[in-house]
Amino acid sequence: MLISLLISFVVGCSEKTLNDNPGTKIEPILDKYLHNGRLVFKDQETYQNHLKWILSNQSTPDVIIRFNSEMGLVSMKEIYDAGMDLVDNHVDFLAYVEKYPRVFERATYLENSMIFDIEAPVDYAYLINGDGLFQVGNTIYRVSHNYTIEIVDGDESKIPLILSYDESIKDPSIKSVPTSSGAKTQLYYRIDEFPNGDRMVSRHNVVFVDYQYRYSVRTTGQTRVLGIWWQKKLNYIQVSWDEGYWRDSYCTIDYCPNPYPYLILPWFFSATNKADLEYIFLSTEFGALFDVSYCLATHKGQLTDGGVIKVRQADALEDY
């Protein structure tokens, strides 16, 4: 059964981001409500403030989950995390992935490396439901790995169209923007092996959603299963970044409204018995200019208690 499920997931797979201090302020429920399983925001200001609140609480996810629970929302991030708790039980995990096809994105790499990513950036994943849906005013949105899609007239009967969206849809009330904006999503991918052959994968990513670039760093454990590199829980896992700086693409040779680079505050995240950690360290309207920006990211992983600790460091604002 495991072999059959693995083959079905490998065939057809294709290769496929903060400057605020974390806080624990409870997000007010005013101007937000749940409708047909999706979160609805009164207006753009309410929606944007909620996104900023989520980013500021990356280090305290229980605060975000408590808010979602009060609203009645089961977010994509909660669904994804529940699935990743099953990752070492391969049959159960694959069955769970099949149950939530719009939550998990199968990213494949060289040497049969497969990583089950989440369909949306971390901040969005906390506010969208398992189908990637949310609403602002009268506009219904879906966030996916490839597109941000809008039903601008709020017609709920068109939701099935955006759940199976492709560019052949010619409805003028349905708009889409590529999440990558034509740019490479993955900036960095490196492997460090443990003595027994299992390994730690370090990645840096940039995603473009709703006219914002989100830069993230991610550490992942892996083991080989039937010839496929598969996510695996590590005894200890960590991702962090030092104080950094960045300039954005709004600056030109002739004009730059801020002559000094912007500051990226340092932060540190760690966990035990987890397969993945991913956090956004920068969110900006204009893309970072890599040649005049710098943020040193550190990835750490330990397979067993007392075992070897692998460490990988690299500039998270450089395209390797």
Side-chain angles (χ1 to χ4, degrees), residues 9 17 51-53 97-99 124 135 143 157 165 169 177 180 187 197 203 216 239 256 291 307 318:
F9 276 92
T17 118
L51 272 176
K52 292 175 183 177
W53 176 80
V97 169
E98 286 190 314
K99 184 178 178 181
Y124 275 92
Q135 183 170 339
V143 179
S157 70
Y165 178 81
I169 295 175
V177 178
S180 66
L187 305 174
R203 290 189 294 161
S216 67
V239 62
C256 190
D291 57 343
E318 182 174 344

Side-chain angles (χ1 to χ4, degrees), residues 243-259:
E243 182 177 296
Y245 58 89
W246 63 284
R247 291 183 183 274
D248 62 37
S249 57
Y250 189 61
C251 290
T252 66
I253 295 176
D254 300 319
Y255 175 75
C256 190
N258 186 353

Side-chain angles (χ1 to χ4, degrees), residues 53-298:
W53 176 80
I54 289 174
L55 276 176
S56 70
N57 278 286
Q58 284 190 109
S59 63
T60 54
D62 289 350
V63 174
I64 306 172
I65 293 170
R66 184 163 72 247
F67 167 83
N68 287 343
S69 178
E70 291 173 357
M71 297 294 292
L73 172 68
V74 180
S75 72
M76 179 178 287
K77 185 66 165 63
E78 293 165 66
I79 296 170
Y80 178 84
D81 287 346
M84 294 311 298
D85 284 342
L86 302 172
V87 73
D88 287 345
N89 186 326
H90 308 125
V91 172
D92 287 353
F93 175 70
L94 285 175
Y96 187 90
V97 169
E98 286 190 314
K99 184 178 178 181
Y100 297 101
R102 300 184 185 95
V103 173
F104 296 88
E105 177 71 21
R106 302 182 303 277
T108 58
Y109 305 92
L110 297 175
E111 56 176 350
N112 289 330
S113 175
M114 178 188 295
I115 296 179
F116 287 85
D117 289 334
I118 193 168
E119 281 270 347
V122 176
D123 53 349
Y124 275 92
Y126 275 117
L127 70 83
I128 60 180
N129 63 17
D131 287 325
L133 299 173
F134 72 100
Q135 183 170 339
V136 181
N138 197 43
T139 302
I140 300 171
Y141 293 84
R142 180 188 173 214
V143 179
S144 74
H145 182 83
N146 295 313
Y147 299 97
T148 305
I149 313 159
E150 305 175 24
I151 304 174
V152 296
D153 62 4
D155 185 348
E156 289 188 318
S157 70
K158 298 176 182 178
I159 288 178
L161 291 176
I162 66 173
L163 293 182
S164 58
Y165 178 81
D166 63 59
E167 293 179 343
S168 66
I169 295 175
K170 301 303 181 183
D171 188 323
S173 69
I174 297 178
K175 299 180 179 180
S176 70
V177 178
T179 57
S180 66
S181 189
K184 180 181 177 184
T185 298
Q186 184 169 277
L187 305 174
Y188 182 86
Y189 178 94
R190 293 294 186 275
I191 296 166
D192 292 279
E193 290 192 359
F194 295 105
N196 74 334
D198 290 340
R199 64 192 197 179
M200 176 185 77
V201 178
S202 305
R203 290 189 294 161
H204 306 157
N205 300 297
V206 56
V207 179
F208 183 75
V209 174
D210 195 19
Y211 307 101
Q212 286 278 326
Y213 293 86
R214 286 163 170 78
Y215 297 85
S216 67
V217 288
R218 180 172 181 176
T219 308
T220 302
Q222 279 192 323
T223 190
R224 191 183 286 276
V225 180
L226 301 176
I228 298 170
W229 283 105
W230 183 274
Q231 275 153 293
K232 174 181 176 57
K233 291 182 181 180
L234 299 179
N235 172 70
Y236 176 81
I237 188 168
Q238 175 190 317
V239 62
S240 60
W241 56 88
D242 296 346
E243 182 177 296
Y245 58 89
W246 63 284
R247 291 183 183 274
D248 62 37
S249 57
Y250 189 61
C251 290
T252 66
I253 295 176
D254 300 319
Y255 175 75
C256 190
N258 186 353
Y260 305 103
Y262 297 100
L263 180 67
I264 298 173
L265 297 176
W267 210 254
F268 170 97
F269 302 92
S270 66
T272 57
N273 196 37
K274 285 182 70 71
D276 289 272
L277 285 182
E278 181 181 17
Y279 290 91
I280 297 169
F281 67 92
L282 177 61
S283 178
T284 172
E285 181 179 0
F286 301 98
L289 296 173
F290 293 148
D291 57 343
V292 288
S293 304
Y294 182 78
C295 185
L296 181 66
T298 300

Side-chain angles (χ1 to χ4, degrees), residues 25 220 237 299 302:
K25 180 181 178 182
T220 302
I237 188 168
H299 307 261
Q302 183 183 44

